[in-house]
Amino acid sequence: MSRYRPVDPGQSFPALEHRVLERWRERDVFHESVRRRRAEGAPRFVFYEGPPTANGPPGSHHVLSRVFKDVFPRYRTMRGHLVERKAGWDCHGLPVELQIERELGFQSKDDIERYGVAEFNAKCRQSVLTYIDEWNRLTERIGFWIDTDEAYFTLENEYIESVWWSLKQVWDKGLLTEGHKVVPYCTRCGTALSSHEVALGYRDVTDPSVFVRFPLEGEEGVSFLAWTTMPWTLLPHAALVVDPDATYVRARVGEETLILAESLLARVLGEEAEVVERVPGSGLLGLSYEPPFPYISDYGERGHTVLGGDFVSLEDGTGVVHTGAAFGEDDFRVATENGLTIHNPVRPDGTFDERAGPFAGLYVRDADAPIVEALRESGRLFGAGTYEHAYPHCWRCDTPLIYYAKTNWYVRTTERREDLLAANEAVTWYPQHIKHGRFGKWLENNVDWALSRERYWGTPLPVWRAEDGETVCVGSLAELRELGAEPPGDLHRPYIDEVSFERDGKTFRRVPDLIDVWWDSGCMPFAQWHAPFENEDVFRERFPADYICEALDQTRGWFYSLLAVSALLFGRSSYETVLCLGLILDTEGRKMSKSLGNVVVPWDVLDLHGADAFRWYYFTSKQPWDGYRFSVETVGESVRLLKTLWNTHALFVLYANLPERMEGGENDLDRWILSRLSATTAAAIERLDDYDTTSAGRAISEFVDDLSNWYARRSRRRFWRGEAAAFETLHTCLVTVAKLVAPLTPFVADEIYDNLDGAEPSVHLCSYPEPGERDRQLEWAMRVARDAVELGRAARAQARVKVRQPLREAVIVAADREREAIERFEALLLDELNVKSVRYVSQADELGRFELKPNYRALGPRFGKRMPQVAEAVAALEPDHAAATLREGGAVGINIDGKEHTLTPQDVQLVLRPLDGYQVERSGTHAVALGLELDDELRREGLAREVVHAVQAARKSAGLNVEDRISLTLGGDAELLDAARAHEDYVAGETLATSLSFDGAGSGSRPEIEGRELMIGVARA
Ligand SMILES: [Zn+2]
């Protein structure tokens, strides 16, 4: 019976992962890992899930956030924390509605009303869960442990009630108010957007650029000149605005006189315009002029006169601003201050109403062209062109927004700006610069949260209004009942709209608005538990979160809504640490999109490389906030670590399952790798505590490399002999690495642990390793010895001498401590370099002679055409002496055309020409030379090794196990046979041959060695 399950070195990782998933399910490992910590009374590490929307299939960027949401909870659990992980789903909002509208072919809100709000919302409810199975399947497949059975849904009545409670809190503080303001507005969606939504949708567009005359009343031939990029706003033109402190001019151009700011004169009218008069802006105030269109005229006393404003740009336009009063924040303010009547002839769907005369019914932007045409006909158009600028679009449906005066509900976050900033101070950001950069600046420039949405599918605004305008905010279902109304079974529209109540003889009906879906998500810390109506203690114990993680763009999304809601309600941030993730791009740095055909579907990566490789790529290829440029192939490169680890595991099992065993003490190599293991453990803990998977992963990867390519390779003979200490050491290393890497690559880690240890049902139920003792002196010594080996190998490669060909000697430049270090590992070095002896020298000069070469880059500019003479002069220097001087930093002199010149070490390159028969490799002050001369004895030994190598290959292709004894027959080239005969014991020992004959009768393989034929007959003995 084997002690361990045999390991297939060619194991497919996706197949392995399915096996592990099965085991996790059977043993209920995730829940067990939580249960155990709960039973122990372990301290909590709180994680909040930022809820995704399941109305579309998950993409590769979702895998990114989900694996980062997994790795630290997994790690903290192993470190002794109780980490509960409640899943959640974001169910409301415009994207859901848009999808249904698209499905049903709807163009506007009217279509929805005709279809029926109840039916429409039923479809929305259904669609948010469309892909939930695929999400859950992917979540499990990538090893993201989260409680999907206990998930919260923002559409549930309980969740909505908690959100209502939060709004009532804000209401009671006087922070939830209605305001008539200019808001960014999407005409297609028929709703206002909050400032954080606007920030998501800027795009470059080309708009009309129009200069328009506004003829001064009572003075023939004199006009104000104003500029706009939105001609449609000229229809409801209310007033002109100038900067009272700026200088304006009357300028004559041809037959007419135009009034505009002096600083913009040349730019707008060119050099030939003649200044007739200079006037301060204040001198223009109150002047009347003719509006461009006659359709709306009753703007009040100051309508169609010149007003003063503090927002007039003197950098573009004309310094005379046309204002439509209702279509810009500043415009609205100045108009209100001056007592203007505000007209908004634009319907919520973006078309002009009947006040717009012949333009009634036109969509505002579609009216631009006919309006410019009308201005041209009436002689009002001075000039027209195009203008490119970044303009906000609806981030949901891509319609250009308009700014639009309307009534909205606001959460007055600006009143609590200081609280928001203070809350942010207590948060640790990864990367750090977001805190006072992107996010801090965002908070500093905070504007009130435009909360209401005139839509259908979302949390209803819990405000009821009487005929006389009195409003009541309802904070719970109980409160609604106290008011005499029965809450509907479904709190969504249209059912909630039917709920009304009487008070003080007045009927209160609900304000039909919904709230911004981002407010929903900001409420998840308490709403996921239906707190404070239930589970208040559960919420309090899990507030704030220790850790949250989402993409960088959530600084204007969830990171903001979470912080703002908690700062308003609880006076602090609801999270302590936040990790921001970068964008996912294709290998050429382009955004992934369906139209470019460069979208990487996560399933393709998972089926080909597996989840561990996918995770490892995200965790270690770079800092996660720097973004990724990837393809299915790129992820394949991260399979390397998994393969190395797996193969070392395979090697261990192969030898450990052999029956032979012998005692054998621990040696320096064992002590070294165990010390490296301690160092790696300490590094992994330090880095993962600091939310840095990149450095932790790289430290582990370097260790695995050391373990596989140095420790295990150098210990093969000991494994073969069955030395207990070697097995024990490798076993310890593999089991410990499995634990170290478990949070990052949970599948392969579990498989290795399960095979080699299995004391627990899973590696994820183990504690994270603690670092043991380190022997830094030993680690250093091994480093020095390995560096010497590296140089020696490079020298061999440079000389193109096969590794199997033994050489007489290696000469190593090393003195004192370094020499001692190498001597400690000399046996290992002899074997690695395949040399018979090592000689030490203290200076590189002893390995050859230095030749001097002029450094053309340094000397060229100095000597120009005389460089050939310089080269000659350098060549004529006495090389040993000059080299010694230059190496000590001194200078040497040369004479060119009778003039002395001084050359410094930067001016001359020292090239080491090795002694005859040697190959030298240098790196800094280190150097190793290999003697290349071969005698018959060395050559025979080299051939004998080639024979062994060929026999091993023959054994393998005959399907023999490593431990099988054979009878070996060799034939063929006489020289090869001679070599094998001369090293008969070695050949027999290495190939496990119990008998070796040279009669050449073998009928097996016939490899060629250096052009000589060898016949190999292998039979199980
Ligand atoms: Zn829209």
Side-chain angles (χ1 to χ4, degrees):
M1 258 290 282
S2 302
R3 298 180 58 201
Y4 305 106
R5 290 195 294 271
V7 177
D8 174 8
Q11 173 70 50
S12 135
F13 289 112
L16 174 151
E17 290 170 3
H18 283 291
R19 201 158 72 219
V20 173
L21 283 171
E22 191 53 46
R23 199 160 61 224
W24 286 353
R25 260 177 247 133
E26 264 167 34
R27 301 180 184 176
D28 197 19
V29 178
F30 167 44
H31 293 110
E32 180 62 15
S33 75
V34 178
R35 269 196 296 271
R36 284 194 187 183
R37 294 303 186 205
R38 192 175 290 130
E40 291 163 15
R44 273 205 174 77
F45 176 84
V46 179
F47 163 75
Y48 286 164
E49 160 72 328
T53 309
N55 69 336
S60 290
H61 56 295
H62 294 114
V63 174
L64 173 65
S65 58
R66 286 174 109 60
V67 299
F68 271 97
K69 288 171 178 186
D70 180 71
V71 64
F72 297 112
R74 241 179 228 274
Y75 167 68
R76 294 289 176 155
T77 302
M78 290 181 80
R79 291 278 285 163
H81 286 93
L82 166 61
V83 194
E84 295 146 317
R85 283 153 267 181
K86 189 178 172 73
W89 300 101
D90 201 12
C91 310
H92 286 150
L94 263 177
V96 182
E97 292 191 39
L98 287 189
Q99 192 160 314
I100 302 302
E101 285 189 70
R102 233 171 276 139
E103 249 174 68
L104 297 173
F106 288 178
Q107 301 299 326
S108 69
K109 285 161 75 172
D110 289 345
D111 293 336
I112 299 173
E113 301 275 353
R114 270 196 296 275
Y115 183 76
V117 174
E119 291 74 12
F120 182 77
N121 275 356
K123 282 208 166 273
C124 290
R125 176 185 288 270
Q126 218 175 24
S127 92
V128 288
L129 306 177
T130 309
Y131 290 93
I132 209 160
D133 288 342
E134 184 174 345
W135 274 85
N136 284 339
R137 208 154 55 79
L138 183 84
T139 298
E140 189 193 27
R141 180 65 190 84
I142 61 178
F144 174 30
W145 275 358
I146 188 147
D147 239 318
T148 45
D149 302 339
E150 304 283 313
Y152 67 90
F153 295 84
T154 61
L155 58 70
E156 285 170 346
N157 279 354
E158 289 78 12
Y159 197 97
I160 291 173
E161 188 181 23
S162 292
V163 175
W164 281 9
W165 170 81
S166 75
L167 291 169
K168 183 65 185 283
Q169 302 300 302
V170 177
W171 172 277
D172 287 344
K173 294 176 204 276
L175 297 174
L176 178 57
T177 58
E178 202 177 13
H180 192 71
K181 282 197 199 182
V182 171
V183 290
Y185 181 86
C186 174
T187 53
R188 202 225 70 92
C189 298
T191 189
L193 279 77
S194 61
S195 54
H196 42 275
E197 288 176 305
V198 174
L200 296 170
Y202 273 88
R203 279 211 293 118
D204 283 339
V205 291
T206 306
D207 274 328
S209 160
V210 175
F211 290 88
V212 183
R213 298 185 182 94
F214 292 78
L216 192 58
E217 244 169 45
E219 261 190 82
E220 194 69 21
V222 182
S223 301
F224 288 99
L225 189 64
W227 175 70
T228 180
T229 58
M230 287 186 288
W232 63 266
T233 57
L234 289 163
L235 210 54
H237 168 80
L240 291 175
V241 185
V242 298
D243 180 350
D245 300 325
T247 305
Y248 287 78
V249 293
R250 284 174 173 239
R252 180 173 289 283
V253 188
E255 296 295 294
E256 65 178 326
T257 303
L258 296 167
I259 304 172
L260 70 166
E262 180 173 32
S263 57
L264 289 157
L265 173 67
R267 203 148 119 210
V268 177
L269 298 182
E271 298 299 334
E272 58 269 34
E274 177 200 341
V275 174
V276 181
E277 189 191 353
R278 283 185 177 74
V279 210
S282 55
L284 302 171
L285 302 183
L287 293 175
S288 292
Y289 57 86
E290 290 168 39
F293 293 99
Y295 311 114
I296 306 170
S297 53
D298 55 333
Y299 281 94
E301 206 178 313
R302 293 197 183 172
H304 300 150
T305 68
V306 179
L307 309 176
D310 56 4
F311 62 90
V312 176
S313 166
L314 294 170
E315 256 117 57
D316 49 24
T318 64
V320 179
V321 174
H322 129 73
T323 171
F327 307 100
E329 257 179 85
D330 293 321
D331 307 59
F332 185 79
R333 180 168 48 80
V334 167
T336 314
E337 281 166 12
N338 284 283
L340 259 56
T341 310
I342 309 284
H343 285 285
N344 186 350
V346 178
R347 297 192 190 102
D349 65 358
T351 59
F352 281 115
D353 66 19
E354 61 292 341
R355 281 175 285 179
F359 300 96
L362 271 183
Y363 182 67
V364 286
R365 283 182 163 264
D366 295 340
D368 279 345
I371 282 174
V372 171
E373 217 29 63
L375 292 169
R376 198 189 303 279
E377 277 169 26
S378 65
R380 292 300 181 81
L381 188 70
F382 179 79
T386 56
Y387 184 69
E388 269 179 51
H389 60 158
Y391 191 82
H393 289 62
C394 177
W395 70 288
R396 315 280 198 190
C397 76
D398 214 30
T399 304
L401 302 178
I402 61 172
Y403 286 81
Y404 185 77
K406 64 189 295 297
T407 301
N408 254 288
W409 288 85
Y410 290 89
V411 176
R412 299 179 59 196
T413 48
T414 51
E415 296 271 305
R416 299 297 168 93
R417 184 180 289 140
E418 294 309 314
D419 294 350
L420 300 184
L421 288 166
N424 184 36
E425 281 311 304
V427 177
T428 304
W429 285 86
Y430 293 92
Q432 208 201 336
H433 64 82
I434 303 290
K435 179 172 182 164
H436 294 125
R438 197 180 167 117
F439 194 69
K441 294 274 179 300
W442 173 252
L443 295 181
E444 278 169 31
N445 297 317
N446 185 262
V447 295
D448 286 340
W449 188 328
L451 188 74
S452 51
R453 298 286 182 278
E454 296 98 288
R455 296 294 306 186
Y456 305 96
W457 179 241
T459 298
L461 182 73
V463 175
W464 272 257
R465 190 188 334 246
E467 301 89 335
D468 65 354
E470 188 190 343
T471 45
V472 174
C473 179
V474 175
S476 68
L477 301 189
E479 208 180 319
L480 201 54
R481 286 194 192 96
E482 277 165 32
L483 288 163
E486 189 48 37
D490 175 354
L491 292 180
H492 289 91
R493 295 187 71 186
Y495 312 106
I496 193 67
D497 300 340
E498 289 151 21
V499 174
S500 62
F501 53 85
E502 309 280 325
R503 205 175 73 174
D504 307 330
K506 295 183 282 189
T507 305
F508 286 75
R509 296 183 196 287
R510 200 182 73 81
V511 171
D513 293 356
L514 306 177
I515 65 159
D516 182 2
V517 62
W518 291 104
W519 186 275
D520 284 359
S521 66
C523 291
M524 62 72 64
F526 48 93
Q528 66 174 332
W529 300 110
H530 192 212
F533 305 104
E534 287 177 81
N535 302 317
E536 175 68 5
D537 51 335
V538 177
F539 155 61
R540 291 284 166 188
E541 283 163 7
R542 291 159 185 79
F543 181 87
D546 290 288
Y547 170 65
I548 61 169
C549 164
E550 292 293 338
L552 205 51
D553 56 13
Q554 297 295 328
T555 45
R556 275 119 168 95
W558 193 53
F559 297 153
Y560 174 67
S561 69
L562 260 190
L563 181 120
V565 170
S566 289
L568 296 178
L569 263 58
F570 310 114
R572 57 156 306 150
S573 166
S574 46
Y575 50 92
E576 300 200 321
T577 301
V578 48
L579 175 64
C580 303
L581 305 170
L583 268 183
I584 306 259
L585 303 170
D586 74 3
T587 46
E588 278 150 50
R590 297 173 305 180
K591 251 183 131 161
M592 288 189 182
S593 73
K594 270 187 197 143
S595 57
L596 286 173
N598 58 356
V599 175
V600 177
V601 179
W603 295 106
D604 291 348
V605 181
L606 294 167
D607 290 346
L608 190 63
H609 304 302
D612 277 340
F614 209 170
R615 293 172 64 114
W616 186 256
Y617 168 75
Y618 278 149
F619 290 146
T620 62
S621 64
K622 45 180 50 190
Q623 292 295 351
W625 46 83
D626 288 337
Y628 298 82
R629 290 183 170 204
F630 95 114
S631 63
V632 177
E633 292 72 35
T634 328
V635 177
E637 287 156 27
S638 58
V639 178
R640 205 183 55 87
L641 164 100
L642 304 175
K643 279 219 152 75
T644 311
L645 182 58
W646 186 256
N647 288 342
T648 313
H649 166 223
L651 176 102
F652 171 83
V653 169
L654 179 68
Y655 287 110
N657 279 346
L658 298 183
E660 277 129 296
R661 277 282 145 150
M662 64 176 275
E663 293 306 307
E666 197 180 64
N667 68 14
D668 267 353
L669 199 61
D670 299 328
R671 282 187 282 273
W672 167 75
I673 196 69
L674 291 172
S675 181
R676 284 278 299 116
L677 183 63
S678 293
T680 307
T681 304
I685 291 171
E686 197 222 28
R687 291 293 83 221
L688 290 178
D689 280 349
D690 196 28
Y691 297 90
D692 175 8
T693 55
T694 318
S695 308
R698 286 178 187 173
I700 294 169
S701 177
E702 275 166 35
F703 176 78
V704 169
D705 204 56
D706 280 352
L707 183 67
S708 159
N709 294 324
W710 197 247
Y711 177 79
R713 197 162 56 77
R714 293 309 321 158
S715 305
R716 253 177 202 266
R717 271 169 210 285
R718 297 168 68 214
F719 296 139
W720 182 235
R721 290 196 297 264
E723 280 189 30
F727 280 115
E728 215 165 279
T729 304
L730 185 55
H731 186 265
T732 301
C733 288
L734 283 167
V735 172
T736 308
V737 169
K739 293 176 184 172
L740 289 177
V741 85
L744 296 111
T745 56
F747 297 93
V748 73
D750 207 30
E751 184 68 9
I752 292 174
Y753 171 82
D754 195 65
N755 195 18
L756 298 191
D757 186 317
E760 294 289 352
S762 164
V763 73
H764 304 288
L765 297 173
C766 299
S767 288
Y768 208 69
E770 291 292 341
E773 300 272 301
R774 280 183 72 179
D775 183 340
R776 287 167 199 272
Q777 178 65 30
L778 178 63
E779 285 182 43
W780 175 83
M782 184 65 91
R783 180 77 265 150
V784 173
R786 289 184 69 184
D787 286 346
V789 168
E790 283 303 313
L791 287 174
R793 280 205 197 124
R796 189 184 267 274
Q798 203 65 43
R800 295 171 194 276
V801 179
K802 279 189 182 175
V803 180
R804 279 188 284 277
Q805 175 60 59
L807 296 172
R808 189 60 65 202
E809 72 162 359
V811 190
I812 299 177
V813 179
D816 310 330
R817 281 182 69 216
E818 294 194 338
R819 174 172 177 169
E820 268 170 47
I822 296 169
E823 277 174 337
R824 187 171 176 182
F825 295 107
E826 197 170 286
L828 189 153
L829 182 116
L830 289 172
D831 200 43
E832 273 292 311
L833 293 183
N834 195 11
V835 295
K836 297 292 167 198
S837 65
V838 179
R839 185 155 60 83
Y840 297 92
V841 296
S842 52
Q843 291 279 348
D845 318 39
E846 296 174 56
L847 298 181
R849 290 194 50 188
F850 280 104
E851 276 178 17
L852 309 177
K853 285 198 167 170
N855 181 353
Y856 283 84
R857 191 172 296 173
L859 296 176
R862 192 165 140 199
F863 290 99
K865 282 183 191 153
R866 291 173 297 164
M867 268 314 286
Q869 288 156 271
V870 174
E872 251 170 62
V874 169
L877 289 165
E878 202 284 299
D880 291 348
H881 182 72
T885 308
L886 289 166
R887 274 172 56 228
E888 276 150 33
V892 295
I894 54 171
N895 192 301
I896 306 288
D897 299 336
K899 254 181 146 179
E900 261 320 296
H901 296 276
T902 304
L903 301 185
T904 64
Q906 286 78 45
D907 299 328
V908 185
Q909 284 180 311
L910 300 178
V911 181
L912 189 64
R913 286 269 165 254
L915 299 174
D916 280 351
Y918 282 82
Q919 178 75 39
V920 181
E921 198 65 27
R922 277 211 302 161
S923 164
T925 56
H926 295 121
V928 173
L930 292 184
L932 301 176
E933 256 167 61
L934 297 180
D935 54 23
D936 287 349
E937 195 189 331
L938 287 172
R939 203 168 280 126
R940 259 201 306 277
E941 194 180 334
L943 290 176
R945 283 183 175 237
E946 295 292 349
V947 170
V948 167
H949 181 69
V951 174
Q952 304 291 30
R955 282 183 58 113
K956 219 175 226 172
S957 57
L960 295 170
N961 291 325
V962 278
E963 72 275 23
D964 287 340
R965 300 298 192 261
I966 57 168
S967 59
L968 176 61
T969 319
L970 295 175
D973 180 81
E975 202 170 340
L976 287 178
L977 296 184
D978 265 1
R981 231 179 244 114
H983 295 274
E984 195 170 333
D985 290 349
Y986 163 77
V987 173
E990 289 293 306
T991 60
L992 299 189
T994 47
S995 72
L996 171 54
S997 69
F998 297 94
D999 52 20
S1003 59
S1005 60
R1006 290 163 171 261
E1008 267 197 10
I1009 295 169
E1010 291 175 11
R1012 304 159 202 274
E1013 193 182 48
L1014 181 68
M1015 289 183 272
I1016 305 172
V1018 166
R1020 197 175 272 121

